[in-house]
C-alpha cells in the first residue's frame, strides 16, 4: 500500500505539465538559465523582458492580442540544450519571437537560425558573430543586442588609458575565467596592453568557483602592478578576490570589466566596493539617465523591482520593444521574414535614441547605445565614461580608490 | 617571504579540510555509507548560520554554534534513520546509498536555491582586522578559522577515545558483527556517526561561509575535495585523513602559487592517482 | 531459563529451522550437536537476536524475547560468543574486554569482572596491552570467551568454541567452560562432533536438516547407533 | 531472467519504438526526444553492464561519452575522416582511455573506484578547456560548433530531418543492445556474477578478475564513446558543459528507475527519464527539485527499479522460484 502511494506521487509529478491555451494571444519564447550557476544572470534578463511584456499588455496588447511568455530553462547553454530549446519554442510552441539574453557563443545562432522567428541574444561573443557570417541569409532572424567581447575589451582598455590618473608603472595583471567570454576578453586586453608598451606581468586563467586567492595575490603583491583586471562574470569570485586583496592592497586600479554587473556585487559589498571600475555594454547610464524618457524608464524599473536596473535588463527589454515595434509596423506577427527585414533595416527608437543593427546584425557599441563604464561610488554604480567615443559622462568623476597611496 | 604566505594559506585550508574529510571518512569507515550529499550538508551549515544571524539576536556566532550544532546533529540522525538505514537490507545497497544521497544533494541544493535565491549570501566576519608580523599578514578571521577547526578536531578525538559512545563507534568501524555481539546498538551507532559527520561538515560550512559566502551549488567542490582527501589518506582512517588534509592544503597552495590555479585540480587528482597506484589503500588506509 | 517453542527461521527464502522445541534449564550445560550447515549456528543466533527473521516463541526467564535486538538481550543477560571470535582487531586486549561490558547492566561491574576474567585467563592479564589482531588462534578464542563473560551474562551461547584449535587447546577451552558453569552461569554450546564436549553436557540436542532429531543425556547419545554413525564415523 | 526473455523484451520495446514515428513523425521536438532516448539508453545500458553486472562502481560514463564525442568531432574536423568511420575511432579512443583508467582501478575497491573514475570526469572539463586541449583541437572553452553530419551511401543525416536519423539511431541502439545482451548471456556474464558475489571465490574458480574487469571497461567505454561520437555528429555542436553535474545525475536517475543490474531496465529508465526531464522543463527551477525528490522516493520505494517491481508483481523468474528450499 505504501509503495502504491509513493507511485501515485511519482505519477502526479509527471502530470505537472498542463499549459493553458487562450484564443487571442501571441506567444513569446523566453529561453533563459533558470537553474544552475547562471540563474542570476537569467533573472536580470527576465526582469527586463517581463517589464516590456507587461507594458505592452497593459496598453491593450500587440495588435490587440495578449503577449504570453513561454519560458524554457536553458541551464548552462549546453549545445544540445539550446537546440532543444529552439525546437521546443519555435518548432512546438510556434512562438513569434525569442528573447534569450546571454545564450551561448554560436550554438544558439545555429539552433535558432533554422527557424524564422526573430531571435534576440546578448551573447557578446565574436564566435557567435562568426557563425552568423557563415550564412547571413539563413541567420537573418538573429539579432545581437550587444557588441562582441573583443570590442568590449578594446573599450575597457581605451577607458583605462583615458582615466585622469597617472599610472606609477606600466605593469598589468589580467585574471580571467576559463569560459569563452573570459578568454575572448583576456586575450584582447593582453594584445592591447602589449601594443601600448605595457608589461603583462601575469595572465591567469582561473576556473569558476575559485574563492581562495591567496596564491595569486602573493604573486600580485610581488609584482605591484598599476592595473589588475578581473574578468569573471560571477559574484562570489570577484567579491572574494576583492576582500582578500584588501587585506594588503597594492597601489593598483582594480578593473572588473563585465564582472561588475552581477547585482550581488554592489548589493553584497555596499560601500566596501567603492573604487572598483567596470563596464556594461548596451548600457542604461545611471544614476542620471541621458534623456527624460530614459530617466522615466529607470524610475519605473526602480519602482517595480526596488533597485537600479542591472546589466541586460534594459537590453532585453529593448529587444522585446524593438520586435513589438516591427510587428506593429508590419501589421501581422506571423509574417516573420518581413518582421526580421523591418528590424534589420529600420532599427528601433528607444529611450536613449536610435538602435541600428549593422550588417552582421550586431548592435555595435556607440551612438545612442554606447558602452557604459562605471565606478562604484557610495555603494552604487555610477557611470563615469561612455565609449565609443571615449568621453566622460555628464559631470560624474573618477575617484582615486582609497587603497591607492 | 611569499613562501610564508603560501604556507599559512595551506595550513588554514588544511585545517578546515581536515575537519570535513574526517567526517566523511568516519561515516565510510563505520558504516560503509558514501554520502554524496556531504557537500549539501556543508551548504546547510552555511545557510543555518545565515538564517540565525539574520535575526540579529544576541551573541552572534556563539548563538549560531549553540543553535546550529544540535540542529545539524538532529538533521543528520534523522536522515540516516529515515532514508539511509532502510536501504541496508537490499542487495548492492552501497550503490543505492550513493544514488539516494545524490538525489538528496540535488533536492537540498535546489531547496536552498528556491528558499534563499540563487545569489550568494554574505555573512559577517567572525573577528575583524589582521595580525601583522613583519612582512606577514594574517587576518584574525583566518586565525579564528584555524583555531576553531583544530579545536573541533581535538574535541572529536577526545570523544572518540574517552567516552563509551566513542569506543562503540570505533568498535563498529573495526568489526560491526563483533560490536553487535557485545550489545552495541549498531544501527544507532551508524546514525550517530552520520549525525556527527553532519555536524563536522556543517561546522566547516559555518566557518568558511563568511570567507567564501554561501551559495546553493557550492557543495560539490567541497565534496570532491573531501573525497580526494579521504581516499588519499585512506578511507576509514581518521589519522590518514588528518595528514592528507594538510598535505593537500599545502599542495593546493603551492601549486596555485607556482603554476597557477588551473593546475590545482590536476595536481590534486594527479597526486591521488599516483598514491593509489602505489598504495591502493591510501596513505594509512585500512581496506574498506 | 530458556525455552524455545516451534521456532522457524529463514535466510532470505531458505527455510533454515523448522519447528524447533528446546529447553535450557538454569545452571546446566546444554550441548547442541549436528553436522555443518544444518542450522546450529542459526539457532544460536536466533536466540541472541542476530537472526531476526524468525517465527515462534523464545522464552527467557518466562519472558517472550522473540525478535528483540541483540543489544537489549545482552543487557537482559544473554551473551553470544562467536565461532569466528569477532574481536576488534585494532584494539588492545583490555579495550576488547572493556567493550564486552558495554551494556548498561554490565558497566558498573567493569572492575570486578575484569579481575574475574584475568584470574580465569592469566595469559590475557599478561597481554593486556597487546592488539587483538596480533594474537594467536588459541589466545583469540580465550579473549572472545573472556569478552563474553564481561557482560555479566546469566546465559552464555557459545558457538563452536573448539573450531580450528589443536586438541590440547580444545580440552583447555572445555575445562574453562565447565569452570564458568560452576560459577553459576547457564551455558548453551554448539559443537560439531566432539565426544569430549558431550561428556560434560547435562543435556544434548542434535540438529539435522533444520530439525531436532534427538534429545537426551550423554549416555543416551553415546549409546545411540545413529549418533555414532554421524559423529564418530563408526 | 534468462537471455531469451531479455531478447524478447528488447525486441518488443524496440519494435514499439520503431512504430512511434508513425504517430509523432510530424513533431521535430518529439522525434528529437526519441532520438535522445535511444542514445541515452545505450549509455545507461553500458553503465548498468559495468555497475550492475560487473559490480564495478564506475562513475566515468559521462566522461567516456564526452571523450568519444570530442574524439569523433576532432577526427572528422581536423583530419577529414568521414563521420561514420570517426565514430568507431572515437570508440577506440574511449576504450583506450577506459583501459588506462581501469588499470589503477583493478587493485581498488568500492568507493575508491568510484572516486578514480569520477576524477576522470572532473579533470576532463579543465583539460578540454586548457591550452593542451586547444592544441588537439577541442576549441577550448568555446567548444566545437561545426561538427559535420553523418553521411552513409551518399545520404546525409541532417538533424533538421529527424525521421531518417531516428531510424539510424534505432539501428545503432539495437546493435549495442544485442552486444550487451550477448555479453550478459555469455561466459562473461557468468564470470561477472561470480566476481560480484565474491572476488576471492571467483579467483579460486579461476576467473581472472583482472582480465574481465579490463574487458568490461574496454567494451563499455567503446560503446559509450562510439554513441558519444554519434551524438556529436547529430547535434553538430559540443562543449564541456555536458560535464556539469546535471547530466550525470540524470543518467543516474535512468539507472535508479530501471534498476541496477536489472537489464533491460536501464533502457526503460532512459526512455522514462529523458521524457520526464523534457516534460518538467516548463517548471524551471522546480525541475531539479522534483528530480531529486523522485530519486529519493524511487530508491526507497523501488530499490530494484521498475523492472524489479514488475518482477515482484508477476513473480517472474529468478529468486522467488526457489522459496521454500532449504540449505543443503
Amino acid at each position: 500500500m505504501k509503495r502504491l502511494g509513493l507511485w501515485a506521487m511519482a505519477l502526479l509529478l509527471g502530470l505537472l505539465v498542463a499549459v493553458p491555451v487562450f484564443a487571442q494571444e501571441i506567444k513569446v519564447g523566453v529561453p533563459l538559465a533558470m537553474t544552475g550557476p547562471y540563474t542570476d544572470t537569467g533573472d536580470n534578463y527576465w526582469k527586463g523582458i517581463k517589464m516590456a511584456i507587461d507594458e505592452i499588455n497593459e496598453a491593450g496588447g500587440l495588435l490587440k492580442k495578449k503577449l504570453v511568455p513561454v519560458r524554457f530553462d536553458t541551464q548552462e547553454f549546453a549545445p544540445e540544450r539550446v537546440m532543444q530549446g529552439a525546437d521546443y519554442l519555435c518548432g512546438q510552441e510556434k512562438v513569434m519571437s525569442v528573447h534569450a539574453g546571454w545564450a551561448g557563443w554560436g550554438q544558439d545562432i545555429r539552433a535558432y537560425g533554422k527557424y524564422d522567428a526573430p531571435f534576440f541574444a546578448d551573447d557578446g561573443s565574436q564566435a557567435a558573430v562568426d557563425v552568423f557570417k557563415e550564412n547571413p541569409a539563413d541567420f537573418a532572424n538573429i539579432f545581437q543586442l550587444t557588441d562582441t567581447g573583443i570590442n568590449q575589451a578594446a573599450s575597457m582598455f581605451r577607458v583605462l588609458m583615458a582615466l585622469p590618473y597617472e599610472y606609477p608603472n606600466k605593469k598589468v595583471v589580467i585574471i580571467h575565467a576559463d569560459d569563452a567570454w573570459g578568454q575572448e576578453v583576456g586575450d584582447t586586453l593582453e594584445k592591447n596592453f602589449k601594443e601600448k608598451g605595457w608589461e603583462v606581468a601575469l595572465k591567469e586563467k582561473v576556473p569558476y568557483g575559485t574563492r581562495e586567492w591567496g596564491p595569486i595575490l602573493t604573486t600580485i603583491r610581488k609584482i605591484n602592478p598599476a592595473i589588475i583586471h578581473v574578468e569573471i562574470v560571477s559574484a562570489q569570485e570577484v567579491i572574494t578576490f576583492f576582500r582578500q586583496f584588501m587585506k594588503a592592497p597594492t597601489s593598483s586600479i582594480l578593473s572588473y570589466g563585465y564582472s561588475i554587473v552581477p547585482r550581488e556585487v554592489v548589493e553584497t559589498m555596499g560601500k566596501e566596493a567603492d573604487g572598483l571600475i567596470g563596464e556594461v555594454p548596451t548600457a542604461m547610464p545611471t544614476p542620471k539617465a541621458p534623456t527624460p524618457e530614459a530617466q522615466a524608464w529607470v524610475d519605473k524599473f526602480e519602482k517595480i523591482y526596488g533597485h537600479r536596473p542591472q546589466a541586460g535588463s534594459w537590453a532585453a527589454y529593448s529587444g522585446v520593444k524593438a520586435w513589438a515595434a516591427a510587428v506593429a509596423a508590419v501589421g501581422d506577427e506571423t509574417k516573420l521574414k518581413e518582421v526580421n527585414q523591418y528590424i534589420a533595416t529600420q532599427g528601433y527608437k528607444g529611450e536613449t535614441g536610435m538602435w541600428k543593427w549593422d550588417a552582421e546584425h550586431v548592435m555595435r557599441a556607440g551612438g545612442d547605445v554606447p558602452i557604459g563604464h562605471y565606478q562604484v561610488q557610495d555603494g552604487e554604480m555610477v557611470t563615469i565614461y561612455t565609449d565609443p567615443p571615449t568621453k566622460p559622462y555628464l559631470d560624474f568623476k573618477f575617484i582615486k580608490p582609497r587603497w591607492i597611496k | 617571504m611569499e613562501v610564508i604566505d603560501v604556507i599559512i594559506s595551506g595550513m588554514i585550508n588544511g585545517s578546515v579540510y581536515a575537519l570535513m574529510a574526517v567526517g566523511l571518512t568516519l561515516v565510510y569507515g563505520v558504516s560503509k555509507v558514501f554520502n554524496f550529499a556531504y557537500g549539501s550538508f556543508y551548504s546547510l551549515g552555511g545557510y543555518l548560520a545565515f538564517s540565525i544571524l539574520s535575526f540579529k539576536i544576541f551573541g552572534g556566532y556563539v548563538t549560531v554554534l549553540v543553535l546550529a550544532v544540535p540542529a545539524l546533529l538532529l538533521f543528520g540522525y534523522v536522515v540516516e534513520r529515515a532514508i539511509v538505514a532502510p536501504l541496508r537490507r537490499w542487495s548492492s545497497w552501497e550503490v543505492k546509498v550513493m544514488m539516494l544521497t545524490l538525489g538528496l544533494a540535488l533536492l537540498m541544493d535546489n531547496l536552498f536555491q528556491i528558499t534563499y535565491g540563487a545569489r550568494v549570501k554574505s555573512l559577517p566576519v567572525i573577528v575583524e582586522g589582521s595580525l601583522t608580523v613583519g612582512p606577514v599578514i594574517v587576518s584574525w578571521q583566518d586565525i579564528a578559522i584555524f583555531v576553531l577547526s583544530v579545536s573541533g578536531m581535538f574535541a572529536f578525538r577526545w570523544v572518540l577515545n574517552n567516552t563509551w559512545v566513542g569506543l562503540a563507534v570505533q568498535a563498529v568501524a573495526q568489526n560491526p558483527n563483533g560490536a553487535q555481539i557485545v550489545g552495541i546498538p549498531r544501527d544507532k551507532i551508524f546514525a550517530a556517526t552520520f549525525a556527527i559527520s553532519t555536524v563536522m561538515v556543517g561546522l566547516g560550512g559555518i566557518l568558511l561561509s563568511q570567507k567564501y559566502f554561501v551559495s546553493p551549488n557550492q557543495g560539490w567542490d567541497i565534496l570532491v575535495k573531501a573525497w580526494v582527501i579521504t581516499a588519499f589518506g585512506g578511507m576509514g582512517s581518521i589519522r590518514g585523513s588528518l595528514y592528507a588534509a594538510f598535505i593537500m592544503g599545502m599542495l593546493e597552495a603551492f601549486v596555485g602559487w607556482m603554476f597557477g590555479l588551473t593546475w590545482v585540480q590536476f595536481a590534486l587528482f594527479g597526486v591521488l592517482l599516483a598514491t593509489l597506484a602505489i598504495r591502493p589503500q591510501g596513505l594509512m588506509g585500512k581496506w574498506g | 531459563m530458556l525455552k524455545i517453542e516451534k521456532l522457524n527461521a529463514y535466510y532470505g527464502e531458505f527455510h533454515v529451522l523448522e519447528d524447533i522445541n528446546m529447553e535450557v534449564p538454569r545452571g546446566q550445560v546444554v550441548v547442541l550437536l549436528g553436522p555443518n550447515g544444518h542450522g546450529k549456528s542459526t539457532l544460536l543466533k536466533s536466540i541472541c537476536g542476530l537472526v531476526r527473521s524468525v517465527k515462534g516463541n523464545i522464552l527467557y526467564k518466562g519472558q517472550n524475547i522473540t525478535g528483540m535486538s541483540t543489544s537489549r538481550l545482552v543487557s537482559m543477560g544473554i551473551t553470544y560468543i562467536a565461532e569466528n571470535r569477532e574481536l576488534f582487531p585494532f584494539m588492545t586486549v583490555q579495550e576488547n574486554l572493556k567493550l564486552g561490558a558495554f551494556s548498561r547492566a554490565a558497566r558498573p561491574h567493569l572492575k570486578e569482572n575484569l579481575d574475574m576474567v584475568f584470574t580465569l585467563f592469566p595469559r590475557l592479564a599478561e597481554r593486556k596491552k597487546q592488539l587483538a589482531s596480533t594474537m594467536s588462534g588459541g589466545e583469540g578464542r580465550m579473549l572472545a570467551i573472556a569478552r563474553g563473560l564481561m557482560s555479566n551474562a546469566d546465559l552464555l551461547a557459545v558457538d563452536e568454541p573448539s573450531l580450528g584449535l589443536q586438541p590440547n587447546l580444545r580440552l583447555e577451552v572445555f575445562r574453562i567452560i565447565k569452570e564458568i558453569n560452576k560459577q553459576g552461569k547457564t551455558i548453551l554450546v554448539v559443537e560439531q562432533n566432539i565426544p569430549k564436549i558431550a561428556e560434560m553436557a547435562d543435556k544434548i540436542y542434535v540438529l539435522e536438516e533444520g530439525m531436532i532429531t534427538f534429545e537426551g543425556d550423554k549416555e543416551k547419545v553415546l549409546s545411540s547407533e545413529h549418533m555414532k554413525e554421524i559423529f564418530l564415523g563408526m | 531472467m534468462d537471455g531469451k526473455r531479455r531478447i524478447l523484451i528488447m525486441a518488443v520495446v524496440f519494435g514499439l519504438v520503431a512504430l512511434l514515428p508513425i504517430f509523432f513523425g510530424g513533431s521535430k521536438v518529439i522525434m528529437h526526444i526519441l532520438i535522445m532516448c535511444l542514445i541515452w539508453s545505450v549509455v545507461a545500458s553500458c553503465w548498468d553492464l559495468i555497475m550492475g553486472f560487473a559490480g564495478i562502481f564506475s562513475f566515468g560514463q559521462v566522461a567516456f561519452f564526452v571523450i568519444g564525442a570530442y574524439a569523433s568531432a576532432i577526427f572528422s574536423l581536423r583530419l577529414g575522416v568521414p563521420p561514420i568511420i570517426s565514430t568507431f575511432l572515437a570508440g577506440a579512443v574511449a576504450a583506450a582511455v577506459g583501459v588506462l583508467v581501469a588499470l589503477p582501478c583493478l587493485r581498488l575497491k568500492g568507493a575508491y573506484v568510484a572516486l578514480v573514475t569520477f576524477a576522470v570526469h572532473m579533470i576532463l572539463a579543465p583539460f578540454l578547456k586548457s591550452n593542451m586541449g586547444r592544441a588537439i583541437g577541442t576549441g577550448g572553452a568555446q567548444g566545437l560548433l561545426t561538427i559535420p553530419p553523418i553521411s552513409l551511401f551518399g545520404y546525409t543525416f541532417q538533424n533538421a530531418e529527424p525521421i531518417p536519423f531516428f531510424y539510424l539511431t534505432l539501428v545503432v541502439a539495437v546493435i549495442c543492445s544485442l552486444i550487451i545482451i550477448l555479453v550478459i548471456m555469455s561466459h562473461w556474464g557468468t564470470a561477472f556474477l561470480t566476481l560480484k558475489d565474491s572476488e576471492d571465490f571467483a579467483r579460486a574458480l579461476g576467473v581472472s578478475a583482472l582480465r574481465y574487469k579490463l574487458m568490461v571497461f574496454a567494451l563499455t567505454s567503446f560503446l559509450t564513446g562510439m554513441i558519444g561520437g554519434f551524438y556529436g555528429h547529430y547535434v553538430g555542436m559540443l562543449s564541456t558543459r555536458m560535464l556539469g553535474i546535471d547530466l550525470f545525475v540524470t543518467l543516474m536517475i535512468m539507472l535508479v528507475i530501471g534498476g541496477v543490474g536489472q537489464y533491460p531496465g536501464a533502457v526503460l529508465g532512459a526512455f522514462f527519464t529523458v521524457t520526464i526531464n523534457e516534460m518538467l522543463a516548463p517548471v524551471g527551477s522546480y525541475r531539479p527539485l522534483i528530480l531529486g525528490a523522485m530519486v529519493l522516493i524511487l530508491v526507497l520505494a523501488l530499490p530494484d527499479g521498475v523492472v524489479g517491481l514488475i518482477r515482484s508483481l508477476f513473480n517472474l523468474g529468478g529468486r522467488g522460484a526457489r522459496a521454500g528450499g532449504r540449505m543443503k
Side-chain angles (χ1 to χ4, degrees), chain A residues 170-187:
Chain A
K170 285 195 155 193
K171 282 192 279 194
V172 60
V173 169
I174 300 169
I175 298 165
H176 64 83
D178 63 347
D179 60 2
W181 163 259
Q183 193 77 48
E184 192 171 325
V185 172
D187 290 352

Side-chain angles (χ1 to χ4, degrees), chain A residues 35-36, chain B residues 105-115 216-217, chain D residues 285 288-289:
Chain A
T35 54
Chain B
L106 199 64
L107 182 74
M108 283 176 72
D109 286 358
N110 287 285
L111 268 182
F112 294 145
Q113 173 151 342
I114 286 164
T115 322
N217 288 311
Chain D
S285 54
L289 190 79

Side-chain angles (χ1 to χ4, degrees), chain A residues 211-214 236 239-241 243-244 247, chain B residues 8-9 12-13 16 42 61 121-126 139 141-143 145 205-214:
Chain A
R211 288 172 300 184
E212 175 55 54
W213 299 95
Q236 48 185 334
I239 301 174
T240 47
F241 180 86
R243 291 217 167 131
Q244 290 165 34
K247 213 170 72 178
Chain B
I8 290 173
S9 158
I12 291 164
N13 283 342
V16 186
Y42 167 91
Y61 276 98
K121 297 287 176 215
S122 122
L123 272 68
V125 288
I126 302 179
S139 61
Q141 168 94 344
D142 283 347
I143 295 173
I145 291 174
I206 295 171
L207 288 179
L208 286 188
S209 284
Q210 24 72 47
K211 196 177 175 192
Y212 297 144
F213 304 98
V214 199

Side-chain angles (χ1 to χ4, degrees), chain B residues 51-61 63-64 67:
Chain B
S51 305
I52 296 168
L53 287 171
S54 66
F55 286 113
K56 303 231 183 309
I57 38 172
F58 172 79
Y61 276 98
T63 316
V64 171
L67 293 177

Side-chain angles (χ1 to χ4, degrees), chain D residues 134-200:
Chain D
R134 282 165 128 193
I136 60 166
T138 62
Q142 186 185 307
L144 299 169
L145 301 174
T146 52
I147 306 168
I150 290 175
S151 295
L152 199 60
F153 308 121
Y155 182 83
T156 305
F157 290 90
Q158 300 281 5
N159 63 15
E161 293 157 47
I163 295 178
F165 199 94
F166 168 79
Y167 283 107
L168 181 66
T169 321
L170 185 67
V171 170
V172 174
V174 166
I175 292 171
C176 291
S177 304
L178 274 177
I179 293 175
I180 290 167
I181 291 175
L182 283 178
V183 168
I184 293 174
M185 280 168 63
S186 71
H187 179 60
W188 284 32
T190 329
F192 291 151
L193 283 180
T194 25
L195 272 181
K196 205 172 70 168
D197 283 350
S198 159
E199 211 155 291
D200 299 327

Side-chain angles (χ1 to χ4, degrees), chain A residues 3 34 39-40 204-206 210-212 215-216 218-219 222 236 239-240 243 248 263-264 267-268 310, chain B residues 2 5 9 13 90 113 118-120 122 137 139 142 211-213 215 218 221 253 256-257 260-262:
Chain A
R3 266 196 200 178
M34 292 156 78
T39 313
D40 199 50
E204 180 98 8
K205 182 158 76 171
V206 298
T210 303
R211 288 172 300 184
E212 175 55 54
I216 287 186
T218 303
T219 316
K222 193 176 163 201
Q236 48 185 334
I239 301 174
T240 47
R243 291 217 167 131
R263 179 77 203 151
E264 332 170 39
E267 213 154 76
T268 307
Q310 295 147 286
Chain B
E2 299 156 41
D5 265 353
S9 158
N13 283 342
W90 297 97
Q113 173 151 342
R119 286 187 184 175
V120 298
S122 122
I137 308 148
S139 61
D142 283 347
K211 196 177 175 192
Y212 297 144
F213 304 98
S215 60
Q218 61 184 356
D221 196 39
W257 175 54
L261 292 177
T262 30

Side-chain angles (χ1 to χ4, degrees), chain A residues 3 6-7 9-10 13-17 19 34-35 38-39 71-73 75-81 83-84 87-89 91-92 102 105-108 110-111 114-115 125 127-128 131 134 178-181 183-184 187 205 208, chain D residues 27-30 32 36 40 126 129-131 134 141-143 145-146 159-160 231 234-239 241-242 244 246 272 276-288 290 293-294 297-298 301-303 306 309 312:
Chain A
R3 266 196 200 178
L6 289 168
W7 259 108
M9 267 175 77
L13 293 177
L15 291 172
L16 275 173
V17 278
V19 185
M34 292 156 78
T35 54
Y38 305 117
T39 313
R71 301 194 70 176
F72 181 85
D73 182 8
Q75 297 167 16
E76 296 178 37
F77 324 132
E80 164 206 348
R81 193 79 206 150
M83 211 177 86
Q84 259 168 282
D87 289 342
Y88 170 69
L89 294 172
Q92 180 99 332
W102 185 21
W105 39 93
Q107 67 268 47
D108 49 338
R110 284 182 202 287
K114 285 194 299 193
Y115 299 94
S125 156
V131 172
E134 282 174 18
D178 63 347
D179 60 2
W181 163 259
Q183 193 77 48
E184 192 171 325
D187 290 352
K205 182 158 76 171
Y208 270 95
Chain D
S27 166
K28 278 184 185 175
V29 183
I30 294 182
H32 172 76
M36 293 319 294
W40 288 115
K129 283 197 259 183
S130 72
N131 293 336
R134 282 165 128 193
Q142 186 185 307
L145 301 174
T146 52
N159 63 15
Y231 163 88
Y234 167 59
V235 178
M237 300 177 261
L238 268 184
S239 79
R241 304 268 179 208
M242 264 196 289
D246 205 89
F272 190 75
I276 208 145
N277 214 3
E278 290 313 316
M279 282 159 76
L280 287 177
V283 300
S285 54
Y286 288 92
R287 180 188 57 88
I290 293 170
M294 246 174 60
I297 294 170
L298 284 172
L302 302 176
V306 177
L309 177 81
S312 63

